[in-house]
Amino acid sequence: MTSEETAQRAQYDAIARRYDRHSAVSPYNTLLERPAMLAACPPLAGRRVLEVGCAGGRLTELLLARGASVVGFDASAAMVDLARQRVGGAARLVVHDLREPLDFARDASFDVVVVSLCLHYLRDWVPALTELRRVLAPGGVVLVSTGHPMAEQRLSPSGDYHAVEEVHDEWPTEEGPPLAVHFFRRPLSASLDSARQAGLVLLDLIEPRPDPAHREAYGVAFDAVYRTPVFLLLVLGRPLD
């Protein structure tokens, strides 16, 4: 593990509780990204689901409530501890870094792979997506949510839409100072090309839009979020044999 990866893991261990509490109240998580991810899932009852980047287990709870058999992992031990406290033994949760091979998972062992807002922490998506394709059963789907390139363009230090580059952002929270985060932004073409190189095909592309009924929850930001997409959701599958 590089010093950068170690530092990133330590950062999320340090902010785990604040991050989890933020994700419980932020309308971007509770009213936009998570509902879009769940809506894109096939019926989950009895299906084997791999949750990549389970964080504090908020989405894990929702997957379990729909009858899924869930295995989840996160690089942050503190995040996994929170998730275990939240769901107990209802899901198998492990500390693991997406940059490493999924040595705990057999080939074609999952019907659905859910990658919620975590792939953007990697500069290169191809190795991770290739490994996710390995564990995906025929007919299964990989659901990837990430920041929309149109929204993240404002963070670009170069101003070059076509660049894959590290960016820094701050997320306002209900308590304390903003959460300082860094990740990699990329053009849409780079995301789709990474999927292609990993042997996955695009089944659907979703740009979630907030429900006008939730205008009050977003406050003054609603109009901007309604007109400019915040998240991108890719539905990927194995090519037909």
Side-chain angles (χ1 to χ4, degrees):
M1 184 182 302
T2 67
S3 58
E4 178 183 347
E5 292 164 0
T6 301
Q8 186 181 75
R9 184 177 297 187
Q11 177 197 18
Y12 276 86
D13 282 341
I15 67 172
R17 289 193 179 278
R18 287 187 63 213
Y19 181 98
D20 180 62
R21 288 194 290 267
H22 172 69
S23 74
V25 297
S26 168
Y28 298 94
N29 296 109
T30 61
L31 299 177
L32 193 57
E33 189 272 338
R34 274 186 222 131
M37 180 68 81
L38 292 169
C41 285
L44 294 178
R47 294 205 168 165
R48 303 161 297 172
V49 176
L50 177 65
E51 184 185 4
V52 181
C54 64
R58 302 280 178 182
L59 181 58
T60 316
E61 274 191 313
L62 298 174
L63 295 169
L64 290 168
R66 284 158 175 75
S69 173
V70 180
V71 175
F73 69 90
D74 199 283
S76 166
M79 291 286 195
V80 173
D81 283 344
L82 288 174
R84 287 172 177 160
Q85 292 170 31
R86 181 156 287 118
V87 304
R92 180 189 174 199
L93 301 171
V94 298
V95 179
H96 189 84
D97 197 308
L98 182 56
R99 299 175 181 89
E100 302 298 325
L102 303 179
D103 51 12
F104 57 85
R106 302 186 312 276
D107 292 1
S109 54
F110 293 98
D111 305 303
V112 180
V113 177
V114 174
V115 193
S116 174
L117 300 179
C118 66
L119 203 56
H120 54 213
Y121 293 114
L122 308 185
R123 181 184 290 275
D124 183 2
W125 287 13
V126 176
L129 287 176
T130 300
E131 187 68 348
L132 295 180
R133 181 191 184 280
R134 178 185 69 80
V135 304
L136 184 67
V141 291
V142 177
L143 307 175
V144 176
S145 66
T146 189
H148 196 288
M150 188 172 180
E152 292 183 343
Q153 177 65 16
R154 66 180 176 82
L155 301 171
S156 171
S158 70
D160 181 1
Y161 169 81
H162 299 283
V164 176
E165 57 189 349
E166 187 174 24
V167 297
H168 300 263
D169 199 8
E170 290 187 340
W171 299 341
T173 62
E174 298 292 318
E175 55 183 270
L179 290 173
V181 295
H182 60 95
F183 50 89
F184 294 93
R185 62 156 295 279
R186 68 198 68 233
L188 177 59
S189 58
S191 299
L192 298 181
D193 189 55
S194 293
R196 181 189 60 79
Q197 290 185 55
L200 294 165
V201 295
L202 180 68
L203 303 177
D204 199 1
L205 186 154
I206 301 165
E207 297 169 303
R209 201 174 194 187
D211 187 333
H214 298 145
R215 173 182 289 273
E216 185 175 348
Y218 290 90
V220 297
F222 178 82
D223 287 339
V225 177
Y226 191 74
R227 294 170 181 166
T228 302
V230 175
F231 298 119
L232 176 69
L233 177 56
L234 304 177
V235 182
L236 309 171
R238 296 168 56 136
L240 295 176
D241 295 329

